[in-house]
Amino acid sequence: MSEPSFASVPRSMSRARLWVAALLALLPTMGWAEMKLNLPEPVSPLTREVFDLHMMTTWVGVWIMVIVILLVGYTLWKFRKSTGAVADQEFHKGFFGTWSWLVVPVLVLGLDLTIADRANSTFDQVENIGDAEVTVKVTGSQWKWTYEYMEHDYSFISNLKSKEEAGEYDYLRTVDNPLVLPVNTRVRFLHTAADVLHAWWVPEIAVKKDSIPGYINETWTIIEKEGMYRGQCAENCGVGHAYMPIEVKAVSRAEFDQWIGERVAEKQAAAELAASNKVWSQDELMAEGEGLYNTYCAACHQANGAGLPPAFPALAGSAMVTSDIPAHIDIVVNGKAGTAMAAWGAQLDDLQLAAIITYERNAWGNDTGDAVQPADVKAAR
Ligand code: HEC
Ligand SMILES: [Cu+2]
């Protein structure tokens, strides 16, 4: 891919015109509808503290700026040369000249310590994890989030919604399965990663800490208002970094309890089915595979299998998908290192993988007639 560079810009185009062109190019991509000047409104005690600290330091900065500008402006005006002003050679001997060296630094230090004291108590709050009622382990991987409710032994993957599903405006902001959390409940997050550094960041509800492979970081929140809160991976984690948005759906405690109860029951039923050694018909696999494909694969390969070449290859008519079964199973289970094609072996069970692969081999005119069984996937792991 050749990127346009400054070197390739014709000489005749001045630097100023380049800047104007760059700004104009940015305009349509900015979300004007939601453009706000300040940080998002906090909805938890800790993020409110962070927000207040930010406001306080901002106002200190604003007032210092105003005072300095007024002082410099007044001085330039009052002692301008045209009125015959002459530099004061005895300034350092006067009262202000003598004492300002002491008084000004003392004032500045006092201000610094005032900010430091507030910042210190905020940091104490950041580390005040406490006993939580709900603990969620958040694992970042290239390029999706896995949420595990530790008290319920229930986990799921949260994936980018395709452009078709999300719509033009919400694309890259919405996911298929948001993290669901109860309001007015102390929640503890355990952050880790499966491959490289990521960072789970939802500014309204929690502070940001890196997700590091083999290491656990903790953050906490008490969400005070029901609603949908959004965030992004905040640590550059590779070519798919922009494809792992975060959504947190905050609901009432009763709604949360019901939701988690249903999910756990569903999961148990699915596990029993996958372990049952049943031989599946092509139709059954296709029916199961379509939904899974649309959930996990369509963001890149598209619902119609056409992909988004050259970044994401088409699966409709692909040589691998229409002939070589072992290679097909291998790339889905193990991924392809160094590309955006992730390994799905750890995220999905044998039945789910067999269903997706069978779907790919028979959808969009691929019509191979193959029915890849869970046992085939198991053997290839
Ligand atoms: C984040 C984007 C992304 C997602 C999500 C994704 N893939 Fe891929 N996939 C790719 C890329 C990129 C390649 C090309 C890798 C390469 O360079 O060979 C690829 C290649 C493939 C290939 C090989 C195609 C060929 O003709 O060589 C298959 C099969 C495949 N993906 C299946 C899947 C399945 C099944 C899923 C869902 C479980 C999935 N992919 C999810 C990005 C993605
Ligand atoms: Cu990331």
Side-chain angles (χ1 to χ4, degrees):
M1 246 206 304
S2 79
E3 299 248 296
S5 70
F6 280 94
S8 67
V9 169
R11 270 280 157 78
S12 60
M13 202 166 183
S14 71
R15 188 159 286 192
R17 274 165 69 195
L18 260 182
W19 278 111
V20 172
L23 282 176
L24 285 179
L26 267 179
L27 279 183
T29 64
M30 291 165 67
W32 288 112
E34 282 201 17
M35 170 138 149
K36 292 184 194 140
L37 290 175
N38 211 340
L39 305 180
E41 201 78 8
V43 294
S44 78
L46 175 57
T47 48
R48 188 166 310 105
E49 272 219 26
V50 173
F51 185 86
D52 290 348
L53 189 62
H54 149 76
M55 287 314 294
M56 175 192 156
T57 47
T58 302
W59 282 119
V60 167
V62 165
W63 281 115
I64 290 178
M65 192 180 73
V66 167
I67 290 168
V68 169
I69 286 177
L70 286 179
L71 202 66
V72 171
Y74 169 78
T75 314
L76 285 175
W77 173 253
K78 180 84 199 281
F79 304 106
R80 64 194 187 280
K81 195 172 180 184
S82 61
T83 61
V86 179
D88 179 0
Q89 302 297 330
E90 304 295 314
F91 178 79
H92 59 291
K93 293 184 183 151
F95 178 80
F96 188 74
T98 308
W99 289 100
S100 61
W101 299 100
L102 182 66
V103 173
V104 173
V106 164
L107 283 177
V108 171
L109 192 66
L111 203 58
D112 282 354
L113 289 178
T114 311
I115 295 173
D117 184 49
R118 278 285 299 277
N120 195 46
S121 70
T122 304
F123 271 127
D124 283 347
Q125 279 306 305
V126 168
E127 296 305 327
N128 182 17
I129 311 288
D131 286 333
E133 281 178 68
V134 176
T135 306
V136 185
K137 182 172 150 206
V138 181
T139 308
S141 58
Q142 288 171 323
W143 284 275
K144 53 190 172 288
W145 297 101
T146 305
Y147 299 116
E148 184 173 352
Y149 293 83
M150 304 302 281
E151 289 83 4
H152 299 89
D153 192 24
Y154 172 67
S155 70
F156 65 90
I157 301 173
S158 179
N159 246 302
L160 175 73
K161 253 193 197 165
S162 70
K163 203 174 213 165
E164 286 149 11
E165 267 183 288
E168 190 75 32
Y169 184 72
D170 280 333
Y171 180 53
L172 300 182
R173 287 157 46 86
T174 47
V175 298
D176 51 0
N177 302 310
L179 176 65
V180 179
L181 290 175
V183 292
N184 300 323
T185 304
R186 205 175 170 102
V187 178
R188 173 172 167 234
F189 299 107
L190 306 177
H191 300 283
T192 189
D195 36 41
V196 301
L197 297 186
H198 300 269
W200 192 85
W201 190 34
V202 183
E204 279 110 323
I205 64 169
V207 298
K208 172 173 68 184
K209 277 196 188 177
D210 275 6
S211 309
I212 305 170
Y215 191 89
I216 296 218
N217 267 330
E218 289 177 282
T219 59
W220 67 278
T221 188
I222 299 172
I223 305 175
E224 292 162 340
K225 214 166 86 191
E226 291 182 26
M228 191 65 110
Y229 303 106
R230 288 180 166 147
Q232 302 284 343
C233 178
E235 181 70 67
N236 192 353
C237 54
V239 295
H241 174 56
Y243 302 103
M244 47 188 305
I246 301 161
E247 278 189 305
V248 176
K249 186 178 171 193
V251 298
S252 70
R253 186 66 207 234
E255 214 177 309
F256 173 78
D257 290 338
Q258 191 194 344
W259 176 85
I260 192 88
E262 284 170 7
R263 291 289 88 75
V264 169
E266 249 173 45
K267 183 193 140 190
Q268 275 162 358
E272 278 162 29
L273 204 58
S276 66
N277 268 335
K278 172 178 165 184
V279 174
W280 298 75
S281 75
Q282 189 196 325
D283 286 346
E284 285 172 314
L285 290 166
M286 288 285 287
E288 181 76 16
E290 179 170 11
L292 291 166
Y293 174 87
N294 287 327
T295 304
Y296 297 115
C297 323
C300 295
H301 295 293
Q302 306 300 294
N304 62 5
L308 289 171
F312 308 123
L315 301 179
S318 141
M320 182 193 287
V321 175
T322 51
S323 64
D324 196 346
I325 295 184
H328 187 184
I329 297 180
D330 180 66
I331 197 169
V332 179
V333 172
N334 299 314
K336 181 154 176 190
T339 76
M341 180 59 198
W344 293 89
Q347 323 279 350
L348 301 172
D349 65 34
D350 295 343
L351 174 58
Q352 290 174 314
L353 290 165
I356 293 180
I357 293 167
T358 301
Y359 176 71
E360 289 175 314
R361 300 186 74 79
N362 295 286
W364 326 299
N366 279 354
D367 303 329
T368 58
D370 299 332
V372 174
Q373 297 296 326
D376 301 331
V377 176
K378 196 174 188 176
R381 276 183 189 270

